[in-house]
Amino acid sequence: MMKKIFVYALLLSSVLASCKKEAALNVDLSKTNPSTFVPGTLDKWLASNFLDPYNMEILYRFDRFQAPIDKELVPVIEDQVQPVMEAIRDCWIEPYLQIAGENFLKPIIPKQIALVGSPQYNIDNTITLGTADAGRRINLFTINGYDKANVPGVEELMHTIHHEFVHILHQNIPVPADFEQISPEHIGGSWAARDNTFAIAKELGFITRYARMNRDEDFAETASTLLVEGQEAYTAFANTSSASGELRLKRKEQMVVDYYKVNHGLDFRALQDKILLAKEKLTGQKRSFVTNFSEGLYKGLTFSRNAASQPAAFLTAFDDSRAAVRAETGLSLSANFSLDFANLRTNTSDMILKFTAGSAGIWYNVTLATDPASGRLRFSLADPGAGTEYGNGDFLKPQMQTLLDYMTLRVLRGDWIENLIPNSKGVVAGFLIPSTNQLSFYGTLKK
């Protein structure tokens, strides 16, 4: 049998050999797949803004070998290139230049940015938004969906570029080893598993699910969130985490701030401010009081009947209720009262309106409903809780009704009132009547 196989092999090789033809190929290789690209207005703009000042090449013409060949990717729409790169220049490069200077940025800035129109879809049901290649090139995906009017979309793009640049920073000077011990529950590639929910990651002190990947991703996610989504969003996230999660998030924040200062000589807080201003200028939108209020940035508010510029209608409602309480009990309702979130770690809608008369507490449960898009909100009375203070509130509800109705029976608009109290943004919040824009009452924020 072996002989037959050998003979057949010889016959086959003879046939193959007899098919061989010797002939010169009449092909002009210089005309194969010719490139007719001529640099245009966009290329000149990219050269002027990136190549000339930073020796940075912007790769937007689709080259299949610039990305993993096993992924289905979509080229970038050319009209998207300049708007995206303007955002990157204004919200990433310029803030670093203003805080750190050219001597810091130019040697470390990546020499290429490659733009891809679509996300990079992965087999674990995740998508890749960006990658950094050995500190030399940053790849950015999902460019075709960019719209500067879409603030979450802008933040996603900026988060990606800042995240990748943080990797470049720590590739030069490593993340402190102690950072990993703050939240040691890193799980590698399993971060995308269903049981690593957003709620679990938050409870453990991770700013995103992806932060559980490893120490370096945790650090980059923390830093880029603080820089792009901003301090207010980060603090609100920490406030609404578990008690241990909040402590971990605050420790990570401080370690990021210290890392930038000690290892790179950068004022992280100043950098945050520059990026915030650039983002607001780019999008034309600012983070509103109602957004901060609804997400848990504040612990509540304090009000005072004696505060300057409280509206006359509020004073009348307060004084009517105070007179009624005094007539019923002989006690005087304190001029100062508060509206506190019951438990921010549980939700950002349950609040407690707390009055005092003498040494007696007078409490009412309140439900907060908000519409951040319009800036409108409403406080509504809810069922009372258990305890002496709630019992007092129920007993004196007829006497308190005028003030309670004033504060809870209508939709209001929450906003800053710097026109009334200069330099009070972030400290004092006003509640206005939407139809007239007149102030209904205002209070001091608790943080």
Side-chain angles (χ1 to χ4, degrees):
M1 185 67 181
M2 291 182 62
K3 291 182 178 179
K4 289 183 179 180
I5 293 174
F6 181 69
V7 171
Y8 293 155
L10 287 175
L11 290 173
L12 180 59
S13 64
S14 299
V15 172
L16 291 174
S18 65
C19 292
K20 183 179 180 181
K21 294 182 178 180
E22 299 287 345
L25 296 176
N26 186 22
V27 176
D28 185 351
L29 295 177
S30 67
K31 296 180 180 180
T32 302
N33 192 26
S35 174
T36 58
F37 172 71
V38 177
T41 303
L42 173 61
D43 302 281
K44 294 177 182 177
W45 183 86
L46 291 172
S48 175
N49 284 271
F50 299 96
L51 185 61
D52 295 343
Y54 309 114
N55 194 28
M56 179 190 292
E57 182 183 15
I58 310 304
L59 306 172
Y60 70 92
R61 299 178 66 226
F62 195 65
D63 183 342
R64 197 63 188 86
F65 297 101
Q66 289 176 1
I69 60 174
D70 62 333
K71 306 295 184 183
E72 294 292 336
L73 300 172
V74 175
V76 67
I77 298 171
E78 189 169 322
D79 288 345
Q80 290 287 80
V81 175
Q82 184 166 335
V84 164
M85 294 310 302
E86 286 175 342
I88 289 173
R89 177 196 63 194
D90 296 345
C91 297
W92 170 47
I93 295 176
E94 285 297 327
Y96 267 99
L97 277 178
Q98 293 167 13
I99 299 302
E102 291 185 351
N103 290 339
F104 168 82
L105 189 62
K106 284 189 174 182
I108 203 171
I109 200 169
K111 299 310 174 187
Q112 291 181 326
I113 293 182
L115 305 179
V116 179
S118 65
Q120 177 178 293
Y121 293 93
N122 305 313
I123 60 174
D124 59 357
N125 295 319
T126 64
I127 62 172
T128 298
L129 299 176
T131 58
D133 294 346
R136 176 173 176 79
R137 185 173 81 191
I138 290 179
N139 303 307
L140 296 175
F141 301 86
T142 70
I143 299 303
N144 290 347
Y146 174 78
D147 177 4
K148 72 176 184 179
N150 177 9
V151 175
V154 171
E155 289 181 340
E156 181 180 86
L157 174 66
M158 291 303 106
H159 185 107
T160 302
I161 192 77
H162 279 277
H163 176 107
E164 299 306 332
F165 189 63
V166 172
H167 282 317
I168 292 174
L169 292 179
H170 76 64
Q171 285 165 6
N172 283 269
I173 302 178
V175 174
D178 290 347
F179 186 86
E180 188 168 11
Q181 303 308 313
I182 298 175
S183 292
E185 298 90 353
H186 297 106
I187 54 177
S190 297
W191 74 267
R194 290 183 179 181
D195 55 357
N196 179 37
T197 63
F198 175 81
I200 288 176
K202 183 176 184 178
E203 183 179 352
L204 293 172
F206 293 95
I207 192 65
T208 63
R209 294 174 65 216
Y210 183 55
R212 292 194 71 185
M213 178 77 166
N214 55 48
R215 179 196 64 187
D216 291 345
E217 299 301 341
D218 191 2
F219 187 86
E221 282 291 274
T222 302
S224 54
T225 299
L226 283 162
L227 290 172
V228 177
E229 284 80 355
Q231 187 64 53
E232 292 176 335
Y234 188 93
T235 301
F237 184 91
N239 286 347
T240 54
S241 179
S242 64
S244 61
E246 179 182 7
L247 290 175
R248 289 177 171 193
L249 287 160
K250 289 182 176 180
R251 286 181 61 197
K252 290 180 185 181
E253 175 186 347
Q254 189 59 53
M255 192 164 284
V256 166
V257 173
D258 293 344
Y259 170 86
Y260 269 69
K261 186 65 176 179
V262 172
N263 294 291
H264 298 289
L266 302 184
D267 184 337
F268 189 84
R269 299 306 188 190
L271 184 61
Q272 279 183 298
D273 292 342
K274 294 293 185 182
I275 293 170
L276 175 63
L277 290 174
K279 184 178 70 171
E280 291 177 347
K281 182 178 180 181
L282 175 69
T283 63
Q285 300 181 50
K286 296 182 178 182
R287 188 176 173 89
S288 71
F289 158 68
V290 174
T291 296
N292 286 336
F293 197 40
S294 65
E295 291 186 2
L297 179 61
Y298 313 111
K299 305 296 177 66
L301 301 107
T302 58
F303 302 96
S304 176
R305 181 256 179 251
N306 298 331
S309 302
Q310 285 285 19
F314 171 76
L315 300 182
T316 298
F318 186 94
D319 290 345
D320 286 352
S321 288
R322 180 157 63 177
V325 170
R326 183 184 295 113
E328 178 67 28
T329 66
L331 299 174
S332 181
L333 196 65
S334 172
N336 302 314
F337 62 99
S338 66
L339 180 62
D340 301 326
F341 283 102
N343 186 349
L344 281 176
R345 305 191 197 287
T346 303
N347 63 61
T348 56
S349 58
D350 293 341
M351 306 190 76
I352 306 173
L353 190 56
K354 300 178 179 179
F355 300 93
T356 57
S359 60
I362 305 168
W363 290 9
Y364 300 93
N365 280 339
V366 170
T367 299
L368 169 67
T370 62
D371 179 15
S374 67
R376 298 190 178 192
L377 50 77
R378 180 171 180 174
F379 303 110
S380 301
L381 285 179
D383 293 336
T388 302
E389 292 86 354
Y390 288 109
N392 293 338
D394 189 54
F395 173 72
L396 291 172
K397 190 172 183 180
Q399 289 72 32
M400 295 293 297
Q401 199 69 56
T402 302
L403 181 56
L404 294 175
D405 287 350
Y406 184 86
M407 298 186 70
T408 65
L409 286 186
R410 56 187 168 184
V411 173
L412 300 169
R413 182 172 65 82
D415 207 347
W416 309 118
I417 51 172
E418 290 188 289
N419 59 325
L420 182 65
I421 305 176
N423 303 315
S424 63
K425 182 179 179 180
V427 178
V428 172
F431 300 90
L432 302 94
I433 301 169
S435 59
T436 63
N437 211 36
Q438 291 182 330
L439 182 66
S440 183
F441 55 91
Y442 74 87
T444 302
L445 295 164
K446 292 182 175 184
K447 294 184 179 180

Coordinates of all heavy atoms in Angstrom, one line a residue, residues 164-215:
E164 N -7.2 57.9 28.2 CA -6.0 57.4 27.5 C -4.8 58.2 27.8 O -3.6 57.7 27.9 CB -6.2 57.3 26.0 CG -7.4 56.4 25.6 CD -7.3 55.0 26.1 OE1 -6.2 54.5 26.3 OE2 -8.4 54.4 26.3
F165 N -4.9 59.5 28.0 CA -3.8 60.3 28.3 C -3.3 60.0 29.8 O -2.1 60.1 30.0 CB -4.1 61.8 28.2 CG -2.9 62.7 28.3 CD1 -1.8 62.6 27.4 CD2 -2.8 63.6 29.3 CE1 -0.7 63.4 27.5 CE2 -1.7 64.4 29.4 CZ -0.6 64.3 28.5
V166 N -4.2 59.7 30.6 CA -3.8 59.3 32.0 C -2.9 58.1 31.9 O -1.9 58.0 32.7 CB -5.0 59.1 32.9 CG1 -4.6 58.5 34.3 CG2 -5.8 60.4 33.1
H167 N -3.3 57.2 31.0 CA -2.4 56.0 30.9 C -1.0 56.4 30.4 O 0.0 55.8 30.9 CB -3.0 55.0 29.8 CG -4.2 54.2 30.4 ND1 -4.1 53.6 31.6 CD2 -5.4 53.9 29.8 CE1 -5.3 52.9 31.8 NE2 -6.0 53.1 30.7
I168 N -0.9 57.4 29.5 CA 0.4 57.8 29.1 C 1.2 58.4 30.3 O 2.4 58.2 30.5 CB 0.3 58.8 28.0 CG1 -0.3 58.1 26.7 CG2 1.6 59.5 27.7 CD1 -0.6 59.1 25.6
L169 N 0.5 59.1 31.1 CA 1.1 59.7 32.3 C 1.7 58.6 33.2 O 2.8 58.7 33.7 CB 0.2 60.6 33.1 CG -0.3 61.9 32.4 CD1 -1.3 62.7 33.3 CD2 0.9 62.8 32.1
H170 N 0.8 57.6 33.5 CA 1.3 56.6 34.5 C 2.2 55.6 33.9 O 2.9 54.9 34.6 CB 0.1 56.0 35.2 CG -0.6 55.0 34.5 ND1 -0.1 53.8 34.0 CD2 -1.9 54.9 34.1 CE1 -1.0 53.1 33.4 NE2 -2.2 53.8 33.4
Q171 N 2.3 55.6 32.5 CA 3.3 54.8 31.9 C 4.7 55.4 32.0 O 5.7 54.7 32.0 CB 3.0 54.6 30.4 CG 1.9 53.6 30.2 CD 1.3 53.7 28.8 OE1 1.8 54.4 27.9 NE2 0.2 52.9 28.5
N172 N 4.7 56.7 32.3 CA 6.0 57.4 32.5 C 6.3 57.4 34.0 O 7.5 57.1 34.4 CB 5.9 58.8 32.1 CG 6.0 59.0 30.6 OD1 7.1 59.1 30.0 ND2 4.9 58.9 29.9
I173 N 5.3 57.6 34.9 CA 5.5 57.6 36.3 C 4.4 56.7 36.9 O 3.2 57.1 36.8 CB 5.5 59.0 37.0 CG1 6.7 59.8 36.4 CG2 5.7 58.8 38.5 CD1 6.7 61.2 36.9
P174 N 4.6 55.5 37.4 CA 3.6 54.6 37.8 C 2.6 55.1 38.8 O 3.0 56.0 39.6 CB 4.3 53.4 38.3 CG 5.7 53.5 37.7 CD 6.0 55.0 37.6
V175 N 1.4 54.6 38.8 CA 0.4 54.8 39.8 C 1.0 54.4 41.2 O 1.6 53.3 41.3 CB -0.9 54.1 39.5 CG1 -1.9 54.3 40.6 CG2 -1.5 54.6 38.2
P176 N 0.8 55.1 42.3 CA 1.3 54.7 43.6 C 0.7 53.3 43.9 O -0.5 53.0 43.7 CB 0.7 55.7 44.5 CG 0.6 57.0 43.7 CD 0.2 56.5 42.3
A177 N 1.5 52.4 44.5 CA 1.1 51.1 44.8 C -0.1 51.1 45.8 O -0.9 50.2 45.7 CB 2.3 50.3 45.3
D178 N -0.1 52.0 46.7 CA -1.2 52.1 47.7 C -2.5 52.3 47.1 O -3.6 52.0 47.7 CB -0.9 53.2 48.7 CG 0.3 52.9 49.6 OD1 0.8 51.7 49.6 OD2 0.8 53.8 50.3
F179 N -2.6 52.8 45.9 CA -3.9 53.1 45.2 C -4.7 51.8 45.1 O -5.9 51.8 45.3 CB -3.7 53.7 43.9 CG -5.0 54.2 43.2 CD1 -5.5 55.4 43.5 CD2 -5.6 53.3 42.3 CE1 -6.7 55.8 42.9 CE2 -6.8 53.7 41.7 CZ -7.4 55.0 42.0
E180 N -4.0 50.7 44.8 CA -4.7 49.4 44.5 C -5.3 48.9 45.8 O -6.3 48.2 45.7 CB -3.7 48.4 44.0 CG -4.3 47.1 43.6 CD -3.4 46.3 42.8 OE1 -2.2 46.6 42.7 OE2 -3.8 45.3 42.2
Q181 N -4.8 49.3 47.0 CA -5.4 48.8 48.2 C -6.6 49.5 48.7 O -7.3 49.0 49.6 CB -4.3 48.9 49.3 CG -3.0 48.2 49.0 CD -3.2 46.7 48.5 OE1 -4.0 46.0 49.2 NE2 -2.6 46.3 47.5
I182 N -7.0 50.6 48.1 CA -8.2 51.4 48.5 C -9.4 50.5 48.1 O -10.3 50.3 49.0 CB -8.2 52.7 47.8 CG1 -7.1 53.6 48.2 CG2 -9.6 53.4 48.1 CD1 -7.0 54.9 47.5
S183 N -9.5 50.0 46.9 CA -10.5 49.1 46.5 C -9.9 47.9 45.8 O -9.6 47.9 44.7 CB -11.5 49.8 45.4 OG -12.2 50.8 46.0
P184 N -9.6 46.9 46.6 CA -8.8 45.8 46.1 C -9.6 44.8 45.3 O -9.0 43.8 44.8 CB -8.3 45.1 47.4 CG -9.3 45.4 48.4 CD -9.8 46.8 48.1
E185 N -10.9 45.0 45.1 CA -11.8 44.0 44.4 C -11.7 44.1 42.9 O -12.7 44.1 42.2 CB -13.2 44.2 44.9 CG -13.4 44.0 46.4 CD -13.3 45.3 47.2 OE1 -12.9 46.3 46.6 OE2 -13.5 45.3 48.4
H186 N -10.5 44.3 42.3 CA -10.4 44.3 40.9 C -10.5 42.8 40.4 O -10.1 41.9 41.0 CB -9.0 44.8 40.5 CG -8.8 46.2 40.9 ND1 -7.9 46.6 41.9 CD2 -9.3 47.4 40.4 CE1 -7.9 47.9 42.1 NE2 -8.7 48.4 41.1
I187 N -11.2 42.7 39.2 CA -11.6 41.4 38.7 C -11.2 41.1 37.3 O -11.7 40.2 36.6 CB -13.1 41.2 38.9 CG1 -13.9 42.3 38.2 CG2 -13.5 41.0 40.4 CD1 -15.4 42.1 38.3
G188 N -10.3 41.9 36.7 CA -9.8 41.7 35.4 C -10.9 41.8 34.3 O -11.8 42.6 34.4
G189 N -10.8 40.9 33.4 CA -11.8 40.9 32.3 C -13.2 40.6 32.7 O -14.1 40.8 31.9
S190 N -13.4 40.1 33.9 CA -14.7 39.8 34.4 C -15.5 41.1 34.7 O -16.7 41.0 35.2 CB -14.7 38.9 35.6 OG -14.1 37.6 35.3
W191 N -14.9 42.2 34.6 CA -15.6 43.5 34.9 C -16.9 43.6 34.1 O -17.9 44.2 34.5 CB -14.7 44.7 34.6 CG -14.5 45.0 33.2 CD1 -13.5 44.6 32.3 CD2 -15.4 45.8 32.4 NE1 -13.7 45.0 31.1 CE2 -14.9 45.8 31.0 CE3 -16.6 46.5 32.6 CZ2 -15.5 46.5 30.0 CZ3 -17.2 47.2 31.5 CH2 -16.6 47.2 30.2
A192 N -16.9 43.0 32.9 CA -18.1 43.1 32.0 C -19.2 42.1 32.3 O -20.2 42.1 31.7 CB -17.7 43.0 30.6
A193 N -18.9 41.2 33.3 CA -19.9 40.1 33.6 C -21.1 40.8 34.2 O -21.1 41.8 34.8 CB -19.3 39.1 34.6
R194 N -22.2 40.1 34.1 CA -23.5 40.6 34.5 C -23.6 40.8 36.0 O -24.3 41.7 36.5 CB -24.6 39.6 34.1 CG -24.9 39.6 32.6 CD -26.1 38.7 32.3 NE -26.4 38.7 30.9 CZ -27.4 37.9 30.4 NH1 -28.1 37.2 31.2 NH2 -27.6 38.0 29.1
D195 N -22.8 40.0 36.8 CA -22.9 40.2 38.2 C -22.1 41.4 38.7 O -22.2 41.7 39.9 CB -22.5 38.9 38.9 CG -21.1 38.4 38.5 OD1 -20.5 39.0 37.6 OD2 -20.6 37.4 39.1
N196 N -21.3 42.0 37.9 CA -20.6 43.2 38.2 C -21.5 44.4 37.8 O -21.2 45.1 36.9 CB -19.2 43.3 37.6 CG -18.5 44.6 37.9 OD1 -18.6 45.1 39.1 ND2 -17.8 45.2 37.0
T197 N -22.6 44.6 38.5 CA -23.5 45.6 38.2 C -23.0 47.0 38.5 O -22.0 47.1 39.3 CB -24.8 45.4 38.9 OG1 -24.6 45.5 40.3 CG2 -25.4 44.0 38.6
F198 N -23.6 48.0 38.0 CA -23.2 49.4 38.3 C -23.4 49.6 39.8 O -22.5 50.2 40.4 CB -24.1 50.3 37.5 CG -23.9 51.8 37.8 CD1 -22.9 52.5 37.3 CD2 -24.7 52.4 38.7 CE1 -22.7 53.8 37.6 CE2 -24.6 53.8 39.0 CZ -23.5 54.5 38.5
A199 N -24.4 49.1 40.4 CA -24.7 49.3 41.8 C -23.6 48.7 42.7 O -23.2 49.3 43.7 CB -26.1 48.8 42.2
I200 N -23.2 47.5 42.3 CA -22.1 46.8 43.1 C -20.8 47.5 43.0 O -20.1 47.7 44.0 CB -22.0 45.3 42.6 CG1 -23.2 44.5 43.1 CG2 -20.7 44.7 43.2 CD1 -23.3 43.1 42.6
A201 N -20.4 47.9 41.8 CA -19.2 48.6 41.6 C -19.2 49.9 42.4 O -18.2 50.3 43.1 CB -19.0 48.9 40.1
K202 N -20.3 50.6 42.4 CA -20.5 51.9 43.1 C -20.3 51.6 44.6 O -19.6 52.4 45.3 CB -21.8 52.5 42.8 CG -22.1 53.9 43.5 CD -23.4 54.5 43.0 CE -23.6 55.8 43.6 NZ -24.9 56.5 43.1
E203 N -21.0 50.6 45.1 CA -20.9 50.3 46.6 C -19.5 50.0 47.0 O -19.1 50.3 48.1 CB -21.8 49.1 46.9 CG -21.9 48.7 48.3 CD -22.8 47.5 48.6 OE1 -23.6 47.1 47.6 OE2 -22.9 47.0 49.7
L204 N -18.7 49.4 46.1 CA -17.3 49.0 46.4 C -16.4 50.2 46.3 O -15.2 50.1 46.5 CB -16.9 47.9 45.6 CG -17.6 46.5 45.8 CD1 -17.2 45.5 44.8 CD2 -17.3 46.0 47.2
G205 N -16.9 51.3 45.8 CA -16.0 52.5 45.6 C -15.4 52.7 44.3 O -14.3 53.3 44.2
F206 N -16.0 52.1 43.2 CA -15.4 52.2 41.9 C -16.3 53.2 41.1 O -17.6 53.1 41.2 CB -15.4 50.9 41.1 CG -14.4 49.9 41.7 CD1 -14.8 48.9 42.6 CD2 -13.1 49.9 41.3 CE1 -13.9 48.0 43.1 CE2 -12.2 49.0 41.8 CZ -12.6 48.1 42.8
I207 N -15.7 54.1 40.4 CA -16.5 55.2 39.7 C -17.2 54.6 38.5 O -18.2 55.2 38.1 CB -15.5 56.3 39.3 CG1 -16.3 57.6 38.9 CG2 -14.6 55.9 38.3 CD1 -17.2 58.2 40.0
T208 N -16.8 53.5 37.9 CA -17.5 52.9 36.8 C -17.3 51.4 37.0 O -16.4 50.9 37.7 CB -16.9 53.3 35.4 OG1 -15.6 52.9 35.3 CG2 -17.0 54.8 35.2
R209 N -18.1 50.6 36.3 CA -17.9 49.1 36.2 C -16.5 48.8 35.7 O -15.8 47.9 36.2 CB -18.9 48.5 35.4 CG -20.3 48.6 35.9 CD -21.3 48.0 34.9 NE -21.1 46.6 34.7 CZ -21.3 46.0 33.5 NH1 -21.6 46.7 32.4 NH2 -21.1 44.7 33.4
Y210 N -16.1 49.5 34.7 CA -14.8 49.2 34.0 C -13.6 49.5 35.0 O -12.5 48.9 34.8 CB -14.6 50.1 32.8 CG -13.4 49.9 32.0 CD1 -13.1 48.6 31.5 CD2 -12.5 50.9 31.6 CE1 -11.9 48.3 30.8 CE2 -11.4 50.7 30.9 CZ -11.1 49.4 30.5 OH -9.9 49.1 29.7
A211 N -13.8 50.4 36.0 CA -12.7 50.6 36.9 C -12.3 49.4 37.7 O -11.2 49.3 38.2 CB -13.1 51.7 37.9
R212 N -13.1 48.4 37.7 CA -12.8 47.1 38.4 C -11.8 46.2 37.6 O -11.4 45.2 38.1 CB -14.1 46.3 38.7 CG -15.0 47.0 39.8 CD -16.0 46.0 40.3 NE -15.4 45.0 41.1 CZ -16.0 43.9 41.6 NH1 -17.3 43.7 41.4 NH2 -15.4 43.0 42.4
M213 N -11.5 46.7 36.4 CA -10.6 45.9 35.5 C -9.2 45.6 36.3 O -8.8 44.5 36.5 CB -10.3 46.6 34.2 CG -9.4 45.9 33.3 SD -10.1 44.6 32.4 CE -8.9 44.3 31.2
N214 N -8.6 46.7 36.7 CA -7.3 46.6 37.4 C -6.9 48.0 37.9 O -7.7 49.0 37.8 CB -6.2 46.1 36.5 CG -6.0 46.9 35.2 OD1 -5.9 48.1 35.3 ND2 -5.9 46.3 34.0
R215 N -5.8 48.0 38.6 CA -5.4 49.3 39.3 C -5.3 50.4 38.3 O -5.8 51.6 38.6 CB -4.1 49.1 40.0 CG -3.6 50.3 40.7 CD -2.1 50.2 41.0 NE -1.3 50.1 39.8 CZ 0.0 49.8 39.8 NH1 0.7 49.6 41.0 NH2 0.7 49.7 38.7

